[in-house]
Amino acid sequence: MNPVLREQLLLLPEYLQGHLALTFAALGAGIAVSVPLGIIASRSPRIRHPLLATVSLIQTVPGLAILALVVAMLGGQIGFLPAFIALTLYSMLPIMRNTVSGLEGVPADVVEAARGIGLSPRQRLWKVELPLALPVIVAGIRTAAVWTVGMATLSTLVGASSFGNYIFIGIQTRNLTAVTVGSLAAAGLAILLDTLIGSLQWIAERRAIGVGLRELRRALVLSISLTVAFAVALLVTLKPAPKPDFVVGGKPFTEQYILASVLADRLTAAGFIVDQNIGMGSDVIFDAIGAGTVDLYVEYSGTIWGSYMRREGNPGREEITDITQAFVRERGLNPVGLAGFQNRYALAMRRDRAEELGIVSVQDLAPLAGILSAGGDLEFFGRSEWKRLQSLYNLDFAQELTFDAALMYTAVEAGQVDVISAYSTDGRVAAYDLVLLEDPRQALLSYDAMLLASSAAAQDPRVAAALAPVLGAIGDEAMREANKMVDVEGRPVSEAVAYLQAIIDKSK
Amino acid sequence: MIELRHIQKTFDGGASYAVFDTSLTIARGELLALIGESGSGKTTTLKMINRLEEPTAGQVLVAGRDVLEQNLQELRRNIGYVFQGAGLFPHHNVARNIAAVPELLGWSKEVIEARSREVCALVGLPYDDYALRIPSELSGGQQQRIGVARALAARPDVLLMDEPFGALDPITRAGLQEEFRRIQQELQLTVVLVTHDITEAMLMADRIAVMQGGELIQVGTASELLNHPAHDYVTQLMEMPRRRAERLERVMRAAE
Ligand SMILES: Nc1ncnc2c1ncn2[C@@H]1O[C@H](COP(=O)(O)OP(=O)(O)OP(=O)(O)O)[C@@H](O)[C@H]1O
Ligand SMILES: [Mg+2]
């Protein structure tokens, strides 16, 4: 079998279990909350409007934002819980709305007959109204199930594993196989659940027009066997994972995946049980390490300086490392040391174009900027570094275009733009033969890779010993090469990890 | 057995009255027909007896006690109600529809089934042929008859029937009317029968109550209404059967 595919399929049980557990827990909680609320809402018009409006409002907030908000409300807690809460919130609308409309759709003469022959309100609900509304309610659950399966892929970003791990890691590491496996798995699960609940809906519909269970045997057998299949899948994958000693985290891009694996392997070799939790956003992971739900990850000094401390200006590389280390220490995090390389923003041009124009530094670029166009990633032109760059060098490009990072490199390669905001360790810098322009006035910040540890990890001397060889061992070149192996050459992350481990071991 | 004391019902806060200041007493074992134009307040009156509607003013007594003082569910379970348009539970088969009230009363399965056979036979639908059918598989007239069977199932003393034979063909209807009247007299059931059909009222009822525009304009036996109509509408109503009979006779004579 194709080794890349094999590597991915080995991850399937873990991700399947994560995805199933999240989906079923959230759907179960969604039903448990929304059906009773829907019943209450259908009884009282005064509650119905505000309740449905609130739930609809939740639905309009993008899934990613809900996840981020829940994480923030839980004080930085990541993993299953925030993903579960967010998914539950998301599943509520279709279930509640259908419960209300299902109950309202029960024919008035039937309800009156139920009252007239002396059923109590509770008996009416259970014996008449719910059975007749059930097909509509189940249809709502079906919609919610498909949404939940889809949205569960996003929970990767708050550190809960799901098929989203395939997709996000795959996108970042340009591993189309992983993206495909993840997408197919999520789609397959959605179709399966849709079929299962669809058959339950069919049964509920027949029951609501009085068809006896005996005639529904075939559908019952189908849905029961599907349910059993799900349960078996859950159980098979539900090998009790040993509780990890430490969790290594990472943000969602190639370099972080590689480094997280490097660090995790080191800790494993030192005898620890280690989990990796990769794909969290910057803010989430910074909070998580403070809360101790992540024990180790690689942060960049410039990110701390600009994003967390919100400082302006550039006092120079050493100052920034010192100040940011002091800052994280104050926050209760523990800087272990620097990895050696920095991954900073740098303006980059195609080598032939730079030579043709005689450009070596940003200084040389300024007078020609009026005839050149620049490309930036999604945030570059909004950062204070860009403003500083403009003002220090008097830069004024003919055009500024914003791209997704991957497309930005393609654009400069194809000559659509002349200058881009490259990342200094990006493998594509070498692959596309780009030159990084010098920045003599230090407009751009330094971004030294810094290992941050939770208190638990920092207090263990064996952790420090295991990580010591890494400190200062990974240079710019090495990191760029490792990134290139994955991003440009399409090799598995494990090869890039092995490459860096060899360099670390040699430097000892 | 049933006593209505100056009951009124308005659905719009007093701008108009569905039922206006109506008083009526129905003796035990009596069959009273309630007749009147569409919208005259018959169904509303009937519903106020088992509190499906609450009177805006006035008092309703059943078995000598104010209905407001009785347990609502108990009151309703002891009064059989045949709904205008059957009102069967669409998700239950015929057997379960008929068993609804007996189940609530905690009867045993065997007793319920035996009783269901009786009431089905009474309305002319063999239990074995119909028990497992669902309402959507029945004709309108069959549904109506199951509605009557359901109302009789728990052996209530009081029956409220809202146009129970409206959807039946004339022959079935005539048979059922006679059969029903026979057991009503045999069991001394107290019945309020809403109908549009003056012939039905005259043939079945001990007394006839005529409603118009929410008011009870006259109550009496058929002969009282025929001989002393208190109102033009009553006159017209009571002449209807004879006028039709005369017209029919002309048609039939012409056909000979
Ligand atoms: N729930 C309700 N809300 C508002 N108005 C109502 C309601 N029920 C009945 N009415 C009105 O009360 C009046 C009497 O209605 P009711 O159903 O008692 O008439 P009915 O004599 O049974 O007529 P029909 O022979 O057509 O069944 C009608 O004008 C009707 O529109
Ligand atoms: Mg009516």
Side-chain angles (χ1 to χ4, degrees):
Chain A
M1 197 196 296
N2 173 336
V4 180
L5 180 59
R6 216 182 109 77
E7 189 180 60
Q8 296 308 320
L9 290 183
L10 285 177
L11 297 166
L12 194 65
E14 184 195 338
Y15 294 167
L16 172 66
Q17 191 213 323
H19 210 105
L20 279 183
L22 261 179
T23 304
F24 282 126
L27 206 55
I31 295 169
V33 173
S34 312
V35 172
L37 283 179
I39 292 171
I40 293 171
S42 78
R43 293 276 180 272
S44 151
R46 249 186 344 164
I47 299 177
R48 170 170 48 215
H49 187 69
L51 201 61
L52 283 178
T54 312
V55 183
S56 308
L57 193 70
I58 295 174
Q59 206 72 48
T60 61
V61 181
L64 212 51
I66 291 257
L67 281 165
L69 285 173
V70 173
V71 170
M73 278 188 291
L74 293 178
Q77 184 169 7
I78 57 159
F80 185 85
L81 188 67
F84 161 73
I85 294 176
L87 287 177
T88 303
L89 287 174
Y90 233 65
S91 72
M92 285 173 67
L93 179 65
I95 303 178
M96 199 185 297
R97 200 174 44 197
N98 280 36
T99 304
V100 171
S101 55
L103 288 172
E104 278 175 352
V106 177
D109 61 332
V110 175
V111 177
E112 176 156 84
R115 292 202 306 140
I117 67 166
L119 293 180
S120 68
R122 179 183 294 258
Q123 290 168 328
R124 226 148 59 213
L125 180 68
W126 284 102
K127 294 187 171 198
V128 178
E129 291 171 292
L130 280 181
L132 290 178
L134 199 60
V136 184
I137 298 174
V138 174
I141 294 173
R142 191 175 171 185
T143 309
V146 174
W147 286 4
T148 308
V149 169
M151 187 165 140
T153 56
L154 291 181
S155 36
T156 298
L157 299 172
V158 294
S161 56
S162 70
F163 292 137
N165 290 37
Y166 276 133
I167 296 171
F168 284 99
I169 299 175
I171 288 174
Q172 291 305 327
T173 58
R174 249 144 260 289
N175 186 337
L176 256 188
T177 311
V179 176
T180 312
V181 171
S183 309
L184 287 180
L189 182 58
I191 292 171
L192 227 58
L193 260 183
D194 189 58
T195 312
L196 170 62
I197 303 176
S199 69
L200 293 177
Q201 186 186 340
W202 189 84
I203 292 172
E205 273 162 13
R206 302 299 113 149
R207 295 289 296 150
I209 56 164
V211 178
L213 278 177
R214 219 171 322 144
E215 281 133 279
L216 300 172
R217 209 166 17 192
R218 288 244 300 280
L220 270 176
V221 168
L222 171 67
S223 43
I224 289 171
S225 44
L226 264 173
T227 312
V228 170
F230 271 121
V232 169
L234 255 178
L235 284 178
V236 165
T237 56
L238 205 80
K239 50 174 189 310
K243 197 175 155 30
D245 299 314
F246 296 115
V247 177
V248 177
K251 302 187 201 185
F253 51 91
T254 304
E255 183 169 295
Q256 289 273 326
Y257 295 127
I258 299 174
L259 290 174
S261 278
V262 168
L263 299 178
D265 288 356
R266 296 258 148 199
L267 292 181
T268 308
F272 294 108
I273 298 171
V274 183
D275 247 8
Q276 283 190 48
N277 198 338
I278 304 174
M280 285 170 275
S282 278
D283 287 341
V284 171
I285 199 171
F286 194 70
D287 290 340
I289 199 144
T293 43
V294 166
D295 292 291
L296 186 66
Y297 85 106
V298 176
E299 186 52 279
Y300 304 94
S301 59
T303 305
I304 301 175
W305 177 266
S307 298
Y308 306 147
M309 300 177 70
R310 302 192 181 288
R311 295 279 289 259
E312 307 268 327
N314 184 0
R317 185 168 179 178
E318 317 244 296
E319 278 283 287
I320 288 187
T321 17
D322 289 348
I323 295 174
T324 53
Q325 293 206 11
F327 170 76
V328 294
R329 222 173 257 124
E330 249 170 57
R331 287 290 203 86
L333 315 186
N334 305 276
V336 179
L338 303 180
F341 70 94
Q342 61 167 328
N343 183 4
R344 59 188 178 83
Y345 275 113
L347 294 190
M349 297 181 73
R350 241 165 64 177
R351 186 177 302 282
D352 52 354
R353 185 82 170 130
E355 279 167 4
E356 174 196 333
L357 296 171
I359 294 175
V360 177
S361 76
V362 185
Q363 195 92 41
D364 310 327
L365 190 63
L368 299 169
I371 57 159
L372 300 177
S373 57
D377 68 17
L378 298 178
E379 54 180 86
F380 184 70
F381 293 122
R383 296 176 76 97
S384 61
E385 289 170 271
W386 165 243
K387 304 209 173 78
R388 204 159 50 240
L389 203 58
Q390 276 186 308
S391 66
L392 285 179
Y393 294 101
N394 211 3
L395 268 186
D396 190 8
F397 287 105
Q399 221 183 354
E400 290 158 15
L401 301 173
T402 298
F403 296 92
D404 166 71
L407 296 177
M408 179 178 76
Y409 286 99
T410 337
V412 71
E413 148 104 307
Q416 286 166 337
V417 294
D418 301 292
V419 186
I420 59 166
S421 66
Y423 314 115
S424 61
T425 50
D426 200 299
R428 288 165 290 203
V429 170
Y432 295 158
D433 199 17
L434 306 181
V435 285
L436 302 181
L437 304 186
E438 287 163 22
D439 173 23
R441 296 191 189 169
Q442 294 202 346
L444 296 170
L445 292 172
S446 57
Y447 282 77
D448 274 290
M450 183 188 291
L451 276 59
L452 292 184
S454 67
S455 307
Q459 275 156 18
D460 193 323
R462 289 173 301 165
V463 172
L467 296 180
V470 180
L471 302 183
I474 307 176
D476 289 353
E477 269 312 314
M479 194 66 238
R480 198 177 300 148
E481 183 58 30
N483 284 335
K484 191 174 98 182
M485 292 170 76
V486 176
D487 280 344
V488 182
E489 294 161 16
R491 288 149 75 179
V493 170
S494 52
E495 286 186 29
V497 172
Y499 166 80
L500 283 186
Q501 298 288 23
I503 289 182
I504 294 167
D505 289 337
K506 219 180 295 163
S507 76
K508 257 197 290 199
Chain B
M1 187 69 181
I2 301 172
E3 195 177 346
L4 310 182
R5 290 185 184 161
H6 303 287
I7 54 165
Q8 295 193 3
K9 179 70 187 180
T10 172
F11 291 103
D12 48 19
S16 69
Y17 283 86
V19 174
F20 188 78
D21 194 18
T22 294
S23 297
L24 186 63
T25 306
I26 302 140
R28 181 180 300 277
E30 180 181 23
L31 194 159
L32 179 107
L34 198 53
I35 193 164
E37 296 164 343
S38 183
S40 58
K42 306 181 295 293
T43 298
T44 308
T45 304
L46 206 60
K47 285 180 181 172
M48 284 190 283
I49 297 173
N50 79 341
R51 281 182 68 190
L52 274 175
E53 298 286 0
E54 303 272 346
T56 319
Q59 202 183 16
V60 178
L61 289 86
V62 172
R65 286 168 59 211
D66 189 332
V67 289
L68 291 176
E69 288 160 10
Q70 304 190 32
N71 176 294
L72 183 62
Q73 265 70 258
E74 248 169 57
L75 172 79
R76 288 176 178 164
R77 287 169 198 175
N78 291 326
I79 298 178
Y81 198 117
V82 181
F83 294 88
Q84 189 170 13
L88 298 181
F89 298 134
H91 59 306
H92 287 169
N93 60 24
V94 166
R96 294 202 56 197
N97 264 291
I98 295 176
V101 183
E103 265 175 18
L104 289 174
L105 297 174
W107 293 14
S108 78
K109 260 205 162 72
E110 297 72 40
V111 176
I112 293 178
E113 194 186 319
R115 177 61 182 162
S116 300
R117 287 180 182 281
E118 278 174 36
V119 290
C120 276
L122 213 80
V123 297
L125 299 174
Y127 183 81
D128 290 322
D129 295 349
Y130 286 88
L132 295 181
R133 295 239 215 142
I134 53 184
S136 60
E137 296 169 352
L138 300 178
S139 74
Q142 288 167 339
Q143 291 187 26
Q144 229 174 23
R145 282 191 271 170
I146 297 302
V148 174
R150 175 173 71 180
L152 288 169
R155 302 184 195 280
D157 298 329
V158 177
L159 264 178
L160 307 176
M161 309 175 87
D162 202 342
E163 297 183 41
F165 310 120
L168 298 178
D169 65 277
I171 295 176
T172 313
R173 182 199 301 216
L176 216 53
Q177 284 170 342
E178 271 176 46
E179 178 70 3
F180 181 79
R181 176 63 168 163
R182 188 182 61 74
I183 60 150
Q184 181 266 329
Q185 286 178 327
E186 181 185 315
L187 301 174
Q188 284 295 296
L189 300 177
T190 309
V191 179
V192 182
L193 173 83
V194 170
T195 177
H196 277 137
D197 179 358
I198 184 64
T199 335
E200 181 170 279
M202 289 168 78
L203 289 175
M204 290 183 72
D206 297 307
R207 283 190 306 155
I208 299 171
V210 184
M211 289 190 79
Q212 190 184 39
E215 290 186 70
L216 195 60
I217 52 177
Q218 193 171 5
V219 188
T221 61
S223 67
E224 281 167 9
L225 297 192
L226 266 172
N227 299 326
H228 310 286
H231 201 282
D232 277 354
Y233 177 66
V234 179
T235 315
Q236 279 177 24
L237 197 65
M238 299 309 290
E239 279 178 355
M240 272 293 293
R242 183 173 300 148
R243 292 233 309 265
R244 292 187 66 179
E246 286 166 7
R247 271 170 59 202
L248 268 172
E249 216 177 314
R250 277 203 298 279
V251 172
M252 286 162 81
R253 206 169 293 147
E256 274 166 8

